Amino acid sequence: MRPHPMPCQLSIEKLKVDPLNVLYIGHDLRSDMAGAASVECETAWLQNRKHEHLTIINIDYVLENLLDPLSLTVLK
């Protein structure tokens, strides 16, 4: 059932990383962003028209295209 933190949590455990050092990029506010935020990952939403009407909550960054993450200071 989505949103569910399990995919993010399993990835974090397998990679042995701190969730505070993970930037999760997704396109779906309800499933991608909510699931990643629930395990304390930073989140970057790849904005799309399908979800423009939804309230953005628990999002650290809003991206307009796939090149935007390159300019985030969190990655430098």
Side-chain angles (χ1 to χ4, degrees), residues 19-25 41-44 60-61 63 69 72 74-75:
L20 298 175
N21 293 325
V22 173
L23 176 65
Y24 184 91
I25 300 172
C41 293
E42 286 199 53
T43 55
D60 297 300
Y61 307 98
L63 311 174
L72 295 177
V74 71
L75 299 179

Side-chain angles (χ1 to χ4, degrees), residues 26-41:
H27 69 281
D28 191 296
L29 285 173
R30 288 192 184 124
S31 58
D32 295 341
M33 301 295 94
S38 71
V39 294
E40 299 183 17
C41 293

